[in-house]
């Protein structure tokens, strides 16, 4: 069953939430990259990427997380990942993302996690 | 033995997602687990993305890439054949996933994923074509045959 790519951004207090849906590959990853870039450019460096509806990601999408995390942390922010379904989480884990990124169960937990910091 | 899989796509990144649907249907028809289709799609995606992104001259569109698959002897074997410039992705060095954050490479992650997901990956340059062969054991398939 096709599950096309979709991306939504929203703001929850001072946390930017980027919701990914469907299929993130080299064709669609630039849209994800633009969304994070826009948040970072606007100084919104507390970012949650909601992956509840993400059912596929390749290294092109994973590379987007990697390309921003250092800058965001240097500026006092973070990128947290939430809602990964097991098969997609496995892809993140093969590349050791669990050692770099906080992975939380759902969006409320991820947002709360920022606010508690 | 089930009918082999033969697909032709063009060198356009937009073709990878529809290809994954064909792989999903092929694996479902053999009553094999969706997890297998997911892993095959990821491996194919990484290799095809490399070829499509870096293997052709700018503007060199409409080039055909063949993806073939067969189930045999408890394995699935996939082949990617393209006419892009000679390139062996397996010759790239492996990324150091233990490196400090600012020293971690972004490139090379895709090939690393392919190696982790497949049991065997080989590259040949044959008759002016790149030929990548992916092999993965399917214990479920062997059980079904016997």
């Amino acid at each position: 069953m096709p599950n096309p790519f979709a991306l939504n951004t929203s703001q929850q207090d001072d946390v930017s939430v980027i919701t990914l849906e469907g299929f993130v590959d080299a064709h669609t990853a630039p849209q994800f990259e633009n969304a994070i870039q826009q948040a970072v450019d606007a100084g919104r460096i507390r970012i949650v990427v909601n992956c509840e509806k993400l059912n596929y990601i390749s290294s092109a999408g994973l590379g987007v997380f990697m390309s921003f995390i250092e800058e965001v942390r240097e500026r006092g922010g973070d990128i947290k990942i939430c809602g990964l379904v097991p098969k997609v989480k496995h892809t993140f884990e093969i590349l050791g993302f669990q050692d770099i990124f906080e992975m939380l169960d759902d969006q409320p937990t991820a947002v709360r996690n920022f606010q508690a910091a | 033995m089930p009918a082999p899989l033969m697909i032709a796509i063009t060198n356009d990144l937009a073709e990878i997602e529809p290809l994954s649907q064909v792989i999903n249907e092929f694996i479902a028809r053999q009553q094999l687990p969706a997890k297998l289709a997911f892993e095959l799609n990821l491996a194919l995606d990484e290799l095809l993305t490399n070829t499509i992104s870096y293997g052709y001259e700018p503007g060199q569109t409409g080039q055909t890439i063949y993806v073939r698959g067969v189930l045999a002897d408890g394995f699935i074997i996939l082949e990617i054949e393209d006419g892009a410039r000679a390139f062996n992705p397996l010759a790239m060095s492996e990324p150091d996933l233990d490196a400090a954050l600012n020293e971690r490479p972004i490139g090379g992650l895709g090939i690393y994923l392919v190696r982790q997901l497949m049991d065997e990956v080989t590259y040949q340059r044959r008759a002016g074509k790149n030929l990548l062969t992916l092999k993965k054991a399917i214990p479920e398939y062997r059980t079904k045959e016997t």
Side-chain angles (χ1 to χ4, degrees):
Chain A
M1 187 168 54
N3 188 353
F5 172 76
L7 181 150
N8 286 294
T9 56
S10 62
Q11 194 74 13
Q12 201 170 334
D13 299 325
D14 64 343
V15 177
S16 284
V17 179
I18 297 172
T19 303
L20 296 177
E21 196 170 321
F23 201 93
V24 176
D25 62 1
H27 184 56
T28 55
Q31 294 175 60
F32 175 36
E33 186 171 11
N34 285 343
I36 296 199
Q37 187 70 63
Q38 281 176 18
V40 170
D41 288 349
R44 299 193 301 267
I45 50 172
R46 295 175 142 203
I47 300 168
V48 167
V49 181
N50 183 335
C51 299
E52 281 168 14
K53 292 180 181 169
L54 176 69
N55 57 15
Y56 177 88
I57 190 164
S58 72
S59 69
L62 295 164
V64 174
F65 288 94
M66 291 298 293
S67 61
F68 285 99
I69 188 62
E70 196 183 355
E71 179 191 349
V72 165
R73 284 191 181 154
E74 276 175 4
R75 292 171 58 182
D78 201 3
I79 300 172
K80 298 178 195 283
I81 302 166
C82 71
L84 287 169
V85 300
K87 67 179 181 183
V88 179
K89 190 173 189 179
H90 181 59
T91 310
F92 281 79
E93 288 173 343
I94 293 174
L95 296 180
F97 270 51
Q98 68 278 18
D99 299 330
I100 305 172
F101 293 90
E102 233 178 313
M103 297 191 189
L104 299 136
D105 287 345
D106 52 37
Q107 186 175 314
T109 310
V111 171
R112 262 203 311 277
N113 198 282
F114 263 122
Q115 288 163 343
Chain B
M1 187 185 297
L5 182 73
M6 295 183 73
I7 311 158
I9 65 167
T10 58
N11 61 327
D12 181 343
L13 292 173
E15 300 237 351
I16 291 177
E17 198 269 339
L19 169 69
S20 75
Q21 301 302 327
V22 179
I23 300 289
N24 288 345
E25 287 160 18
F26 177 74
I27 294 300
R29 270 201 307 278
Q30 316 308 324
Q31 297 178 303
L32 290 167
K35 178 173 180 283
L36 173 66
F38 184 87
E39 292 175 349
L40 296 173
N41 280 326
L42 187 50
L44 283 173
D45 177 345
E46 297 297 349
L47 295 168
L48 288 167
T49 294
N50 264 343
T51 299
I52 293 169
S53 301
Y54 308 115
Y56 297 91
E57 299 301 324
Q60 196 184 357
T61 56
Q63 305 298 307
T64 304
I65 301 172
Y66 295 98
V67 177
R68 294 182 283 265
V70 67
L71 285 160
D73 300 329
F75 285 92
I76 184 159
I77 299 164
L78 295 174
E79 275 184 353
I80 302 171
E81 182 191 304
D82 68 67
R85 71 172 69 96
F87 175 63
N88 178 5
L90 308 177
M92 291 176 69
S93 58
E94 293 221 340
D96 179 3
L97 298 184
D98 295 322
L101 197 52
N102 60 356
E103 291 166 2
R104 286 198 187 210
I106 292 174
L109 296 180
I111 297 303
Y112 181 81
L113 276 175
V114 174
R115 288 185 188 278
Q116 298 302 309
L117 294 169
M118 298 293 115
D119 293 315
E120 195 180 311
V121 190
T122 55
Y123 170 82
Q124 295 170 71
R125 182 76 179 169
R126 191 194 290 167
K129 307 277 187 190
N130 296 304
L131 191 66
L132 279 159
T133 307
L134 314 177
K135 194 170 176 184
K136 185 165 179 72
I138 314 172
E140 299 90 337
Y141 186 70
R142 188 181 293 281
T143 307
K144 274 173 47 179
E145 276 183 316
T146 52

